[in-house]
Amino acid sequence: MTEQLVVHRNYEETEDSGLSWPRIIGIAFVIALHLAALMLLLIPAVAPKADVEKERAILVTLVDAPPPPPPPPPPPPKQDKPPPPIKELSPPKPTQVPPPPEAPPVDVPEPRDTDIVVPPSPPAPPAPVADIAASVDISSKNMNPPRYPPAAARSGIEGEVILVIDVDANGNVTNVTVEKSSRNRDLDRAAMEAARRWRFNPATVGGQKAAGRVRVPVNFTLG
């Protein structure tokens, strides 16, 4: 132990006498280590979250590349030689067709009287139905004669009244007028009242019943 201390002391004594470059380099290295440790302490161990997200967002942003230009059209094929000209062909000559053979003659016998069929003549159209004018029922007129006015009977007045009576399609009286008067008002009135009680046959036009007009004379005579 005594010898080592002695040797070390002797070494320090020899080095104090001048500059030692290894020692200077060692001291500088130690100072550099201390400065690096101090810088590490000043820098935070974990970066702020906002900066990380911002950096991540910037990294995700992509820019679409422009589409490639369309390829150029292929060049037309090169023709070494022009196509040969088209030769015009003459139309074929029509072949002559022989005419059809003539049909042999056919002997047609002359028709006999029994062979001729005469179609029956069409039926004659029905005769048109004659129009019938309206008329008075004679039995109804005889059963309902006009009443002789008493005053005219006492005075001995006689006369003839001609009536015009309108009848509908059912034979009913629709109107009674005096065409020729007897020159006595009572006789004319009695004839009109009797005509309203008579029955009439309606007129017929084209086979159908229709309205008509009847002209009836009424005589008033005594004894």
Side-chain angles (χ1 to χ4, degrees):
M1 294 293 290
T2 306
E3 291 178 356
Q4 292 177 356
L5 293 171
V6 172
V7 171
H8 182 71
R9 183 180 301 171
N10 292 329
Y11 178 77
E12 290 178 355
E13 288 177 358
T14 58
E15 289 183 350
D16 291 334
S17 60
L19 295 174
S20 177
W21 289 104
R23 185 177 180 180
I24 294 171
I25 293 171
I27 294 170
F29 181 74
V30 171
I31 294 171
L33 289 176
H34 283 82
L35 291 175
L38 181 61
M39 293 295 292
L40 291 174
L41 291 175
L42 293 176
I43 297 173
V46 180
K49 187 176 181 181
D51 295 341
V52 174
E53 291 181 355
K54 184 176 180 181
E55 182 180 0
R56 189 175 301 171
I58 293 172
L59 293 176
V60 170
T61 304
L62 299 177
V63 177
D64 294 337
K78 297 181 179 180
Q79 295 183 357
D80 298 338
K81 296 181 180 180
I86 300 174
K87 296 182 179 180
E88 295 182 0
L89 300 178
S90 59
K93 297 180 179 181
T95 57
Q96 295 181 358
V97 180
E102 296 181 358
V106 179
D107 295 335
V108 179
E110 295 181 359
R112 295 173 295 180
D113 296 339
T114 57
D115 296 337
I116 300 174
V117 179
V118 179
S121 58
V129 180
D131 297 340
I132 301 174
S135 60
V136 62
D137 189 351
I138 300 301
S139 60
S140 175
K141 180 181 178 182
N142 295 333
M143 291 175 62
N144 298 285
R147 296 178 59 185
Y148 212 109
R154 287 195 301 268
S155 302
I157 299 174
E158 297 180 351
E160 181 184 23
V161 182
I162 298 177
L163 302 176
V164 176
I165 305 167
D166 295 329
V167 182
D168 61 8
N170 295 323
N172 300 319
V173 178
T174 58
N175 189 26
V176 180
T177 58
V178 176
E179 185 181 26
K180 181 182 178 182
S181 175
S182 63
R183 297 184 180 180
N184 186 278
R185 185 180 300 175
D186 295 337
L187 296 179
D188 295 345
R189 187 180 298 128
M192 295 174 65
E193 291 176 357
R196 291 189 177 92
R197 296 192 299 268
W198 297 338
R199 290 195 302 270
F200 292 85
N201 301 317
T204 303
V205 178
Q208 300 292 330
K209 293 181 179 181
R213 179 170 290 182
V214 184
R215 188 169 178 270
V216 181
V218 180
N219 293 318
F220 290 92
T221 57
L222 295 173

